[in-house]
Structure formats: C-alpha cells, structure tokens
C-alpha cells in the first residue's frame, strides 16, 4: 500500500535546502547534537565519518563502493537464484529439516534472497543519485528479471516481498533513467511502452510522469518540449476514458498548461474524456474557485449522457461547491443526480441527510424506492455493489439489489411493501449483503418493542447490530472498528423509530410474521445442523422473546423459548 504521507525526493531536498539556509551556525550545531544523542551505538562510527572535514572524499568513496561490481553482483545473485530454482525439492527438503519452510508462503524456499536483493536495490538508488543513468537502466532491468523468475511450483521472490524499500520510488528511478538515456524524438514512444509494462509483481498503482519529476531534485531535461510531444503522442492513441494513457494525457496537459489547459481539455473533449472534468474541478477547488466549480459542474451534467456512471463523481464536486457556497437547491440536485446513476446505500443516506424535515425524508425515500424499482426493471442483472479494489469504479455501472430497495421502503414508512418484499426472501443466508429479510425482521421487532435502539435488550441489540453490519459490508473493510456508514444508517433509523407508531392491526400482523420467520429460520439452521449458525438461531429466538416481554406478554415470551428448546434440546 502506498503511503500518501510520504514526501517525494525532490520536495525533500528542497525543504532541506530551505531549512539549512534559514538556520544559523549555532542552530545547526544544536541540531547535530540532538541527532548524535539519538544515534544508535552501532551507527556512531558512521555518524562521525559524515562529520569529517573531507566529506567530499567520504561521499566519493561511498559512491564508488556502490558502483564497483554492481552488475556483476546482480549477475552472481541471479545465477545463484536460478541454480536454486533448478532443484527446488532439495532446497525445500533442507528447509523442512530445519523447520524453516512454510508451503503456504508464496516466497517458498527463497527467503534468504530478500536481504541481498534489498541491498542491491539500495545500491542502484545510490548510483542513480550520481547520474549514472545507463548503468541504472541495465541494473534495474536485471533486478526486475530476477523478481519475475519462479520455480516449477510457482515460488519466487517478488518486489513486494522486499520490505523496507519504497517500490514506487525504485520504479520511478528506473523510468527517469529511461527518460534521461533516450533521445528527445524517441522519448514518448519508449517511455509510454515502459510505463505500460512495469514488473507484473509490483502490484502498484501505475506511475504518473510527475513521479519521474519528483524522484530527484535534478532538473528534467527538455521538459517543456517533451510535454508538447508527450501530449501529441498520447492524444493519438485513442485510449478509453479511465485508462493509463488517458490519465497520463490529462496529467501532461495540467503540467504543461495548468488549470486553463484542463478547462480547455474538458470543454473540447469532455464527452470522450469525462475525467478531465474531475481534474479541472479538483484544480479549481485547490484555487478556492467554488463558484466556477458549481457553474461548470452544472454544465457538465447537461452535456454528459444521463446514464454515464461518472456523473456521480461530477455531482460530488457540485455538492462540495454547493456546501461551500451554501446553495441548498444545487446540493439537493447534486445529491439526486449522484444517486440516479450510482444508487448505492451511502448515496441513499446522502438524500436522507440533506432532507429539510421528516416529511421531506419520507418523500425522498419514496422517490428513491421508485427509482430503484425502475433501475432493477431495466437492468438485465441483479446483484450487489462491491467497492472495487485497485480501481475507483467511477465509470462502472452498479447492479442494484433488493437490500437497498428494502432500506428505501423502510425509510419511506412503506411497511406493507417492505413486508411483501421480505416475505419473498430466504430464511438462510442473512449474513450476505443482499439478504434483506433479516433487515425487515429487525426493524419490525424494534418498532414492536416500543424502545429506542440505545436501550434495547441484549439479544435484540445484537441482532440489530448484525443487520447494520451486513448492510454496509460492501463499503467497509474488516479492520474498521466502527464504520461511518453504519453509524449514519443507525442514526437514520433512530430518527425513523422516534416518529413511528404502528397501528394495532399492523402490530399484530408484523409480530405474527416475525415469529413465523423466526421459527422457519430456527428449523432451517438447527434442523439442518448448520452448527456454525446455531448462535444466530438462538439470538433471533431470544430477541423475539425479549420483544414479547417488552409488550407485556411474559407468558408468550417464556412459551416461545420453551417451545424452541423442546424441539431442539
């Protein structure tokens, strides 16, 4: 994972130079003393060496030691790795005897090559800083080839196994060295080809040209002319929106012409390069020009196809500007435009949150449920939206499932429609995102309890938390302790519970249905010996019993639990 807090090499050196020029001699002495105090015992000799008067000589010696025999050392290590891969069984057997082999580890028996490879990458980086670009290209390509190698079992060392090195920086150094060693007329073609075919094992987001600029404080030769040639070359590639080449073209326009260039690109080619609008609006936002964002986002939504998924991202910029400028009508329009093409749960909650009052929330949820039904009827597939990894999904249509439809029906107080939908659901599989029957059961049980969510009894609370979590799993990751989306969803339902009163007839009907579903689910889980889900059956059973107690029917509550216990002792 790329650390977005990291400072580029170019920026790092620029900041260093700025600070050095601002400090007095005494202040620099204080800094060095503080650094000396924090130096580990094993690093003290090296620290003192850097303080020698003949520092230039130390630097030259260090550089020469990194340069000397670099290619032969890479060749030697490559040969050793290749030799080991010729007979992996012998190596695996030896490691097994020492208890050092894990057959589920993709690196297999080649862990001992990690440290030497890291050292070689660091040496190449040092040579790069001295401007030996031809050598750098050759060295990196030899290292990349080594990292692509694997034995007959598929084991090998990959670039992401080299912990402690910044993969993107090494890839940027390689590409910068390519740039430096290629003639001006050949740069666009060769650089584009190399940028598209980086090591397959890097698993990094593709690099941008600015990464090559930022990897060193050294000025980029022929930059102005290259950008002109680069733009011309990329423009004729006819690459689709969202592709690498499209991204490089938009970046080049911004580097060469700034925000006005992005404006011209969006206005002239926005229909085929809609992401140009996003780059333009982002640049305007950095300049604080929210009124222009608001106006041009309106225009973009008029120009682009009404079914284009990326309209949602454009609408997000419009909404951000509307919030900054306090324009409620534009915010409302933007929220709805985003939901129209990207009808997912977070955007449903956006509609809920911007409503003026409870009646407005109800109206918006009714409109949303109508749109969802139309969307599902027009779609040839039904399913769920899962936030894509490694892809922002801005140009990907979403499939609408019945879970979000159930939310919209419940939040619009359309209890009968929600019941009708849930009655068609399955009593198993409630842990999946597209399960909606359990959601409707949970909402009905809370309404029937007459309690607010924060004071619910233990099992009903547990059941309700499960339903919330399963509703938002597509937009969260397991490491999140509390999902913001889950909190927003819980808040929306808390508002709903606070203003809802069911009629006597509705209470009787919904309670009977919930208990009937509970019996079916318990029979399906325990009767079919789905042992890992026995706790789920127990929690639902006791949650129903807790609701009966809260309604004053203690005898029925006890009888319910006893009945289930008697059937499944």
């Amino acid at each position: 994972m790329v650390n977005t807090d990291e400072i580029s090499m170019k920026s790092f050196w620029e900041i260093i130079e700025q600070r050095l020029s601002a400090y007095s001699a005494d202040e620099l002495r204080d800094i060095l003393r503080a650094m000396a105090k924090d130096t580990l015992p094993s690093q003290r000799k090296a620290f003192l060496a850097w303080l020698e008067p003949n520092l230039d000589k130390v630097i030259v010696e260090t550089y020469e030691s990194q340069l000397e025999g670099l290619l032969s050392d890479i060749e030697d290590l490559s040969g050793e790795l290749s030799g080991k891969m010729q007979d992996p069984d012998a190596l695996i057997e030896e490691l097994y005897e020492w208890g050092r082999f894990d057959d589920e580890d993709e690196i297999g028996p080649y862990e001992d090559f990690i440290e030497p490879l890291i050292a070689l990458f660091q040496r190449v980086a040092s040579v790069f800083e001295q401007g030996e670009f031809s050598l750098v290209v050759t060295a990196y390509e030899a290292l990349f080839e080594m990292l692509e190698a694997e034995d007959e079992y598929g084991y090998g060392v990959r670039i992401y196994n080299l912990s402690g090195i910044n993969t993107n920086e090494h890839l940027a150094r390689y590409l910068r060295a390519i740039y430096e060693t290629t003639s001006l007329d050949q740069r666009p073609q060769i650089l584009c080809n190399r940028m598209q075919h980086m090591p397959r094992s890097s698993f990094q987001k593709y690099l941008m040209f600015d990464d090559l600029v930022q990897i060193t404080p050294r000025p980029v030769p022929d930059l102005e002319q290259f950008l002109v040639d680069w733009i011309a070359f990329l423009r004729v590639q006819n690459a689709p929106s969202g592709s690498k080449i499209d991204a490089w073209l938009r970046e080049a326009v911004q580097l060469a012409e700034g925000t006005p260039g992005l404006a011209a690109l969006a206005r002239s080619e926005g229909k085929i390069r809609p992401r140009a609008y996003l780059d333009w609006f982002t640049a305007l936002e950095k300049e604080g020009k929210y009124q222009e964002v608001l106006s041009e986002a309106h225009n973009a939504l008029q120009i682009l196809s009404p079914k284009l998924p990326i309209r949602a991202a454009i609408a997000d910029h419009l909404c951000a500007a509307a919030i900054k400028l306090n324009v409620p009508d534009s915010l409302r329009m933007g929220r709805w435009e985003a939901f129209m093409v990207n009808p997912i749960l977070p955007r449903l909650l956006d509609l809920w949150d911007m409503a003026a009052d409870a009646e407005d929330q109800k109206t918006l949820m009714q409109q949303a449920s109508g749109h969802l039904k139309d969307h599902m009827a027009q779609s040839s597939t039904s399913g769920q939206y899962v936030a894509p990894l490694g892809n922002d999904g801005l140009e990907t249509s979403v499939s609408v499932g019945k879970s979000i439809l159930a939310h919209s029906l419940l939040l619009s107080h359309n209890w009968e429609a929600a019941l009708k939908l849930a009655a068609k659901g399955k009593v198993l599989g409630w842990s999946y995102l597209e399960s909606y029957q359990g959601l409707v059961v949970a909402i009905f049980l809370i309404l029937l309890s007459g309690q607010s969510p924060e004071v619910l009894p233990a099992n009903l609370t547990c059941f309700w938390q499960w339903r919330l979590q399963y509703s938002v799993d597509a937009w969260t990751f397991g490491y999140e302790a509390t999902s913001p989306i889950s909190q927003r969803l819980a808040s929306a339902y808390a508002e709903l519970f606070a203003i809802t009163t069911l009629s006597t007839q509705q209470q009787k009907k919904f309670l009977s249905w919930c208990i009937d579903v509970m019996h079916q689910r318990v029979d399906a889980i325990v009767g079919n010996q789905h042992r890992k889900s026995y706790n789920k059956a127990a929690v639902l059973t006791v949650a129903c019993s807790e609701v009966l107690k809260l309604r004053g029917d203690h005898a029925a509550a006890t009888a319910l639990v006893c009945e289930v216990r008697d059937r499944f002792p």
Side-chain angles (χ1 to χ4, degrees):
M1 182 175 293
V2 178
N3 185 352
T4 55
D5 293 329
E6 291 180 352
I7 302 174
S8 72
M9 188 65 72
K10 180 180 179 182
S11 297
F12 175 71
W13 281 113
E14 288 174 349
I15 294 170
I16 290 292
E17 291 299 329
Q18 290 172 3
R19 294 189 179 181
L20 286 175
S21 63
Y23 293 140
S24 67
D26 287 338
E27 288 172 329
L28 289 173
R29 290 189 183 94
D30 290 339
I31 291 172
L32 285 172
R33 290 187 184 104
M35 293 173 63
K37 289 179 181 178
D38 292 336
T39 301
L40 296 174
S42 59
Q43 299 172 346
R44 287 170 183 166
K45 286 186 177 180
F47 182 84
L48 291 172
W50 284 104
L51 296 180
E52 291 293 331
N54 56 344
L55 183 57
D56 289 341
K57 181 173 180 293
V58 174
I59 293 174
V60 169
E61 290 176 351
T62 300
Y63 161 61
E64 290 177 348
S65 68
Q66 299 288 0
L67 179 62
E68 185 179 356
L70 175 61
L71 293 182
S72 61
D73 288 346
I74 294 174
E75 184 178 358
D76 290 345
L77 188 65
S78 178
E80 183 182 351
L81 177 62
S82 179
K84 297 286 187 183
M85 286 183 170
Q86 295 303 312
D87 188 13
D89 291 325
L91 185 58
I92 291 173
E93 182 177 351
E94 179 183 348
L95 292 175
Y96 259 129
E97 292 178 359
W98 289 91
R100 291 179 52 203
F101 181 69
D102 181 359
D103 55 9
E104 294 185 1
D105 189 344
E106 62 187 345
I107 199 172
Y110 306 110
E111 186 174 355
D112 289 344
F113 286 86
I114 290 179
E115 290 302 323
L117 276 166
I118 290 174
L120 287 171
F121 269 95
Q122 291 171 336
R123 286 174 65 183
V124 178
S126 177
V127 173
F128 172 86
E129 294 301 328
Q130 300 303 317
E132 298 285 351
F133 297 119
S134 295
L135 177 59
V136 167
V137 171
T138 304
Y140 270 132
E141 289 181 348
L143 288 171
F144 293 154
E145 183 178 355
M146 207 186 314
L147 294 172
E148 297 291 299
E150 59 184 37
D151 63 22
E152 60 187 276
Y153 299 112
Y155 293 128
V157 186
R158 303 290 177 246
I159 199 167
Y160 51 81
N161 296 134
L162 307 183
S163 59
I165 72 168
N166 186 310
T167 300
N168 274 357
E169 286 195 353
H170 283 286
L171 297 178
R173 288 187 186 97
Y174 168 64
L175 292 173
R176 178 63 179 268
I178 292 289
Y179 180 98
E180 296 274 0
T181 55
T182 306
S183 62
L184 180 61
D185 61 323
Q186 293 294 315
R187 275 176 186 154
Q189 175 70 59
I190 292 177
L191 190 62
C192 182
N193 181 64
R194 299 295 176 89
M195 289 175 75
Q196 289 189 87
H197 299 92
M198 300 304 289
R200 65 180 174 85
S201 64
S202 66
F203 284 117
Q204 300 292 316
K205 188 181 188 306
Y206 54 83
L207 268 68
M208 305 297 288
F209 180 75
D210 193 51
D211 292 313
L212 281 64
V213 176
Q214 297 298 327
I215 194 59
T216 174
R218 184 189 300 268
V220 181
D222 311 314
L223 178 60
E224 186 174 340
Q225 183 58 52
F226 171 76
L227 288 174
V228 173
D229 298 342
W230 186 229
I231 292 170
F233 173 82
L234 296 173
R235 198 182 287 277
V236 299
Q237 301 305 307
N238 296 319
S241 176
S243 65
K244 294 179 182 179
I245 290 178
D246 177 59
W248 295 332
L249 172 61
R250 291 182 281 108
E251 179 205 35
V253 169
Q254 186 169 17
L255 289 173
E257 305 169 27
T259 304
L262 290 175
L265 182 65
R267 286 171 175 150
S268 63
E269 301 182 43
K271 284 189 175 181
I272 60 173
R273 303 185 195 281
R275 287 174 181 255
Y277 284 114
L278 304 182
D279 292 346
W280 179 22
F281 299 155
T282 299
L284 289 172
E285 287 166 353
K286 290 180 179 178
E287 297 170 9
K289 298 178 179 178
Y290 294 102
Q291 186 62 56
E292 192 172 347
V293 173
L294 189 67
S295 173
E296 295 298 343
H298 273 290
N299 292 338
L301 292 173
Q302 292 294 320
I303 293 169
L304 296 176
S305 167
K307 294 186 178 180
L308 207 62
I310 202 169
R311 289 172 62 90
I314 292 172
D316 287 339
H317 282 281
L318 186 151
C319 291
I323 292 172
K324 283 283 186 180
L325 300 171
N326 191 24
V327 186
D329 289 344
S330 291
L331 176 61
R332 188 182 186 95
M333 186 274 280
R335 293 288 190 230
W336 185 253
E337 286 286 347
F339 181 77
M340 288 285 285
V341 293
N342 192 219
I344 59 177
L345 181 59
R347 297 199 183 279
L348 182 71
L349 294 174
D350 287 341
L351 295 177
W352 176 275
D353 290 341
M354 66 144 194
D357 51 35
E359 192 59 34
D360 193 22
Q361 288 173 333
K362 182 177 178 180
T363 299
L364 283 169
M365 293 301 101
Q366 288 172 341
Q367 293 172 345
S369 62
H371 173 64
L372 288 166
K373 290 175 183 177
D374 292 341
H375 195 289
M376 293 171 69
Q378 294 171 8
S379 177
S380 60
T381 61
S382 62
Q384 65 191 47
Y385 173 87
V386 177
L389 299 174
N391 184 327
D392 56 24
L394 296 182
E395 293 169 279
T396 304
S397 297
V398 299
S399 297
V400 176
K402 294 180 180 178
S403 175
I404 188 172
L405 177 59
H407 281 297
S408 69
L409 292 172
L410 290 164
L411 291 170
S412 64
H413 303 227
N414 198 341
W415 314 120
E416 294 296 334
L419 176 60
K420 184 178 180 180
L421 176 69
K424 299 176 182 178
K426 299 178 180 179
V427 295
L428 292 179
W430 284 11
S431 299
Y432 294 106
L433 170 66
E434 264 312 288
S435 171
Y436 49 91
Q437 188 180 75
L439 169 68
V440 177
V441 170
I443 298 300
F444 283 176
L445 287 177
I446 295 174
L447 289 171
L448 290 164
S449 74
Q451 303 294 310
S452 59
E454 63 269 15
V455 295
L456 294 173
N459 289 277
L460 185 52
T461 295
C462 180
F463 183 57
W464 172 228
Q465 292 299 324
W466 285 346
R467 305 278 63 79
L468 284 175
Q469 184 57 47
Y470 297 141
S471 290
V472 304
D473 270 347
W475 298 277
T476 61
F477 301 91
Y479 54 77
E480 294 181 350
T482 304
S483 160
I485 302 171
S486 180
Q487 291 177 324
R488 292 177 65 197
L489 187 61
S491 177
Y493 277 111
E495 294 178 48
L496 180 74
F497 297 144
I499 62 172
T500 300
T501 302
L502 299 176
S503 68
T504 302
Q505 183 178 0
Q506 287 175 323
Q507 292 182 45
K508 182 178 179 181
K509 181 178 181 179
F510 297 164
L511 180 60
S512 175
W513 177 76
C514 286
I515 292 176
D516 182 55
V517 171
M518 181 274 292
H519 281 300
Q520 292 181 47
R521 181 163 169 78
V522 171
D523 288 345
I525 291 175
V526 187
N528 292 300
Q529 297 186 349
H530 295 296
R531 298 184 185 278
K532 292 183 179 180
S533 295
Y534 281 5
N535 66 316
K536 299 174 185 177
V539 166
L540 176 58
T541 300
V542 182
C544 288
S545 175
E546 289 170 341
V547 170
L548 289 171
K549 285 183 179 180
L550 289 170
R551 293 174 61 81
D553 199 344
H554 291 265
T558 302
L560 181 68
V561 175
C562 289
E563 180 186 354
V564 174
R565 184 184 295 128
D566 290 342
R567 274 193 297 145
F568 301 107

